[in-house]
Amino acid sequence: MTAASLHKSATELLETWRPATGPEQSLREAMLAFLGSAPRGCLREHAPGHITASAVVFSHDEREVLLTLHPRVGRWIQLGGHCEESDDTVAAAALREATEESGIADLVLEPGLYGAQAHPITCSLGVPTRHLDLLFRIRAPKGAVPVRSSESTDLRFWPVNALPADADVLLR
């Protein structure tokens, strides 16, 4: 449970991920290059940018996706956030973040990387940086009722075919 274990897990996820599109392949290579030059690049302290752990949380029947209206971003996005040194892996960080932000117990993390995104942002560091999101697919149990945390302006399940116009979420 160190910066090194997070770094190793992020590198292994990206090395084994086989994205389908050219832009995703380019992003994969850029993230691997970033990690090659940033041993502590999975922690928010790395001001030029850092790996973040994102969770695309689907309902049990996969007809809906849980989105948060993020107060800093001002759009509907997937759950997730910064990795902590107490996280064993980036996947564990994504599951922790999803559980904390949704209030839903017994979430199920699917193995492997679901996708990746990069976003310029001024996060809790207070300076412009870049979030290099590693996305994980997570399924909520049947009957799950999300509970909004202090990290969200709003939180709700949306039909996958009727997302809000300003949503920024990767769906496959």
Side-chain angles (χ1 to χ4, degrees), residues 41-114:
C42 291
L43 298 174
R44 84 176 85 204
E45 70 188 33
H46 194 265
H50 38 271
I51 297 291
T52 50
S54 290
V56 182
V57 179
F58 288 90
S59 60
H60 78 283
D61 59 8
E62 299 187 14
R63 289 191 224 169
E64 297 177 313
V65 64
L66 184 60
L67 299 179
T68 179
L69 183 56
H70 195 281
R72 187 169 279 133
V73 177
R75 290 191 319 264
W76 290 94
I77 61 174
Q78 72 271 353
L79 307 182
H82 293 105
C83 299
E84 305 292 340
E85 284 197 71
S86 59
D87 296 316
D88 288 329
T89 64
V90 180
L95 184 58
R96 176 186 51 76
E97 286 285 340
T99 301
E100 289 174 1
E101 292 181 11
S102 72
I104 299 172
D106 302 321
L107 295 171
V108 177
L109 175 79
E110 294 186 8
L113 196 57
Y114 181 69

Side-chain angles (χ1 to χ4, degrees), residues 10-164:
T11 302
E12 288 173 353
L13 283 163
L14 287 163
E15 286 176 345
T16 58
W17 181 45
R18 298 294 172 243
T21 68
E24 286 181 319
Q25 292 168 3
S26 293
L27 182 56
R28 174 186 174 271
E29 294 303 318
M31 287 181 163
L32 283 168
F34 165 78
L35 286 167
S37 67
R40 296 185 64 81
C42 291
L43 298 174
R44 84 176 85 204
E45 70 188 33
H46 194 265
H50 38 271
I51 297 291
T52 50
S54 290
V56 182
V57 179
F58 288 90
S59 60
H60 78 283
D61 59 8
E62 299 187 14
R63 289 191 224 169
E64 297 177 313
V65 64
L66 184 60
L67 299 179
T68 179
L69 183 56
H70 195 281
R72 187 169 279 133
V73 177
R75 290 191 319 264
W76 290 94
I77 61 174
Q78 72 271 353
L79 307 182
H82 293 105
C83 299
E84 305 292 340
E85 284 197 71
S86 59
D87 296 316
D88 288 329
T89 64
V90 180
L95 184 58
R96 176 186 51 76
E97 286 285 340
T99 301
E100 289 174 1
E101 292 181 11
S102 72
I104 299 172
D106 302 321
L107 295 171
V108 177
L109 175 79
E110 294 186 8
L113 196 57
Y114 181 69
Q117 296 176 318
H119 305 282
I121 189 169
T122 299
C123 68
S124 57
L125 287 174
V127 296
T129 186
R130 182 164 297 276
H131 278 181
L132 305 171
D133 290 337
L134 297 184
L135 285 82
F136 297 87
R137 184 182 177 98
I138 294 177
R139 189 175 308 195
K142 187 173 185 176
V145 177
V147 177
R148 185 181 64 82
S149 75
S150 62
E151 297 181 47
S152 179
T153 301
D154 198 356
L155 177 74
R156 67 176 87 154
F157 278 105
W158 292 86
V160 294
N161 60 354
L163 298 178

